[in-house]
mmCIF file of all heavy atoms in Angstrom:
data_model
loop_
_atom_site.group_PDB
_atom_site.id
_atom_site.type_symbol
_atom_site.label_atom_id
_atom_site.label_comp_id
_atom_site.label_asym_id
_atom_site.label_seq_id
_atom_site.Cartn_x
_atom_site.Cartn_y
_atom_site.Cartn_z
ATOM 1 N N GLY A 943 66.877 16.003 -38.944
ATOM 2 C CA GLY A 943 66.321 15.185 -37.879
ATOM 3 C C GLY A 943 65.912 15.956 -36.641
ATOM 4 O O GLY A 943 65.334 15.389 -35.723
ATOM 5 N N LYS A 958 51.161 20.761 -20.953
ATOM 6 C CA LYS A 958 50.648 21.656 -19.900
ATOM 7 C C LYS A 958 49.126 21.557 -19.796
ATOM 8 O O LYS A 958 48.563 21.513 -18.698
ATOM 9 C CB LYS A 958 51.034 23.117 -20.194
ATOM 10 C CG LYS A 958 52.514 23.398 -20.090
ATOM 11 C CD LYS A 958 52.960 23.424 -18.647
ATOM 12 C CE LYS A 958 54.437 23.776 -18.532
ATOM 13 N NZ LYS A 958 55.002 23.330 -17.255
ATOM 14 N N LEU A 959 48.449 21.550 -20.960
ATOM 15 C CA LEU A 959 46.988 21.477 -20.953
ATOM 16 C C LEU A 959 46.506 20.181 -20.304
ATOM 17 O O LEU A 959 45.585 20.188 -19.486
ATOM 18 C CB LEU A 959 46.449 21.580 -22.384
ATOM 19 C CG LEU A 959 44.918 21.658 -22.494
ATOM 20 C CD1 LEU A 959 44.405 22.990 -21.961
ATOM 21 C CD2 LEU A 959 44.461 21.478 -23.934
ATOM 22 N N HIS A 994 49.555 15.090 -29.537
ATOM 23 C CA HIS A 994 50.531 16.188 -29.690
ATOM 24 C C HIS A 994 51.513 16.261 -28.521
ATOM 25 O O HIS A 994 52.618 16.775 -28.690
ATOM 26 C CB HIS A 994 49.799 17.522 -29.818
ATOM 27 C CG HIS A 994 49.525 17.911 -31.233
ATOM 28 N ND1 HIS A 994 48.649 18.911 -31.572
ATOM 29 C CD2 HIS A 994 50.017 17.435 -32.404
ATOM 30 C CE1 HIS A 994 48.613 19.028 -32.895
ATOM 31 N NE2 HIS A 994 49.428 18.145 -33.412
ATOM 32 N N TRP A 1015 42.201 27.330 -31.332
ATOM 33 C CA TRP A 1015 43.387 28.146 -31.625
ATOM 34 C C TRP A 1015 44.628 27.270 -31.714
ATOM 35 O O TRP A 1015 45.429 27.402 -32.640
ATOM 36 C CB TRP A 1015 43.554 29.208 -30.538
ATOM 37 C CG TRP A 1015 44.779 30.055 -30.698
ATOM 38 C CD1 TRP A 1015 44.946 31.142 -31.518
ATOM 39 C CD2 TRP A 1015 46.039 29.863 -30.028
ATOM 40 N NE1 TRP A 1015 46.233 31.638 -31.392
ATOM 41 C CE2 TRP A 1015 46.917 30.883 -30.494
ATOM 42 C CE3 TRP A 1015 46.498 28.943 -29.090
ATOM 43 C CZ2 TRP A 1015 48.222 30.988 -30.037
ATOM 44 C CZ3 TRP A 1015 47.816 29.042 -28.649
ATOM 45 C CH2 TRP A 1015 48.650 30.065 -29.114
ATOM 46 N N ASN A 1019 46.943 26.482 -35.105
ATOM 47 C CA ASN A 1019 48.377 26.763 -35.090
ATOM 48 C C ASN A 1019 49.217 25.499 -35.276
ATOM 49 O O ASN A 1019 50.375 25.580 -35.648
ATOM 50 C CB ASN A 1019 48.768 27.467 -33.786
ATOM 51 C CG ASN A 1019 48.467 28.950 -33.856
ATOM 52 O OD1 ASN A 1019 49.252 29.725 -34.380
ATOM 53 N ND2 ASN A 1019 47.305 29.351 -33.366
ATOM 54 N N GLY A 1056 35.755 8.488 -37.922
ATOM 55 C CA GLY A 1056 34.891 9.530 -38.482
ATOM 56 C C GLY A 1056 34.116 10.302 -37.438
ATOM 57 O O GLY A 1056 33.257 11.109 -37.770
ATOM 58 N N ASP A 1077 49.163 6.793 -51.609
ATOM 59 C CA ASP A 1077 49.473 7.808 -52.626
ATOM 60 C C ASP A 1077 50.774 8.547 -52.314
ATOM 61 O O ASP A 1077 51.546 8.880 -53.214
ATOM 62 C CB ASP A 1077 48.326 8.823 -52.742
ATOM 63 C CG ASP A 1077 47.079 8.218 -53.379
ATOM 64 O OD1 ASP A 1077 47.165 7.078 -53.896
ATOM 65 O OD2 ASP A 1077 46.016 8.871 -53.353
ATOM 66 N N VAL A 1085 47.901 4.262 -33.660
ATOM 67 C CA VAL A 1085 48.176 4.820 -32.332
ATOM 68 C C VAL A 1085 46.941 4.602 -31.457
ATOM 69 O O VAL A 1085 45.836 5.000 -31.830
ATOM 70 C CB VAL A 1085 48.483 6.333 -32.408
ATOM 71 C CG1 VAL A 1085 48.818 6.876 -31.022
ATOM 72 C CG2 VAL A 1085 49.623 6.627 -33.372
ATOM 73 N N ARG A 1094 44.003 0.373 -14.997
ATOM 74 C CA ARG A 1094 42.720 -0.065 -15.562
ATOM 75 C C ARG A 1094 42.178 1.017 -16.480
ATOM 76 O O ARG A 1094 42.172 2.207 -16.142
ATOM 77 C CB ARG A 1094 41.686 -0.333 -14.458
ATOM 78 C CG ARG A 1094 42.141 -1.300 -13.388
ATOM 79 C CD ARG A 1094 42.224 -2.731 -13.864
ATOM 80 N NE ARG A 1094 40.922 -3.272 -14.236
ATOM 81 C CZ ARG A 1094 40.745 -4.501 -14.727
ATOM 82 N NH1 ARG A 1094 41.791 -5.275 -14.931
ATOM 83 N NH2 ARG A 1094 39.544 -4.932 -15.020
ATOM 84 N N ILE A 1097 36.843 4.260 -19.469
ATOM 85 C CA ILE A 1097 36.227 4.396 -20.801
ATOM 86 C C ILE A 1097 35.446 5.691 -20.970
ATOM 87 O O ILE A 1097 35.106 6.063 -22.095
ATOM 88 C CB ILE A 1097 35.310 3.195 -21.139
ATOM 89 C CG1 ILE A 1097 34.153 3.069 -20.135
ATOM 90 C CG2 ILE A 1097 36.117 1.906 -21.245
ATOM 91 C CD1 ILE A 1097 33.085 2.080 -20.551
ATOM 92 N N VAL A 1108 31.543 21.734 -22.896
ATOM 93 C CA VAL A 1108 31.679 22.415 -21.594
ATOM 94 C C VAL A 1108 31.439 21.442 -20.444
ATOM 95 O O VAL A 1108 32.187 21.419 -19.461
ATOM 96 C CB VAL A 1108 30.727 23.626 -21.504
ATOM 97 C CG1 VAL A 1108 30.729 24.211 -20.104
ATOM 98 C CG2 VAL A 1108 31.123 24.691 -22.522
ATOM 99 N N ASP A 1121 46.133 8.603 -16.031
ATOM 100 C CA ASP A 1121 47.231 8.435 -16.975
ATOM 101 C C ASP A 1121 46.630 8.508 -18.372
ATOM 102 O O ASP A 1121 45.625 7.846 -18.656
ATOM 103 C CB ASP A 1121 47.920 7.074 -16.789
ATOM 104 C CG ASP A 1121 48.833 7.055 -15.571
ATOM 105 O OD1 ASP A 1121 49.349 8.131 -15.215
ATOM 106 O OD2 ASP A 1121 49.015 5.978 -14.980
ATOM 107 N N ALA A 1151 45.535 -2.976 -27.959
ATOM 108 C CA ALA A 1151 46.287 -2.100 -27.052
ATOM 109 C C ALA A 1151 45.380 -1.429 -26.018
ATOM 110 O O ALA A 1151 45.829 -1.092 -24.916
ATOM 111 C CB ALA A 1151 47.033 -1.038 -27.851
#
Side-chain angles (χ1 to χ4, degrees):
K958 292 286 183 201
L959 186 69
H994 268 166
W1015 177 81
N1019 279 277
D1077 290 350
V1085 182
R1094 306 289 296 178
I1097 61 169
V1108 172
D1121 283 332

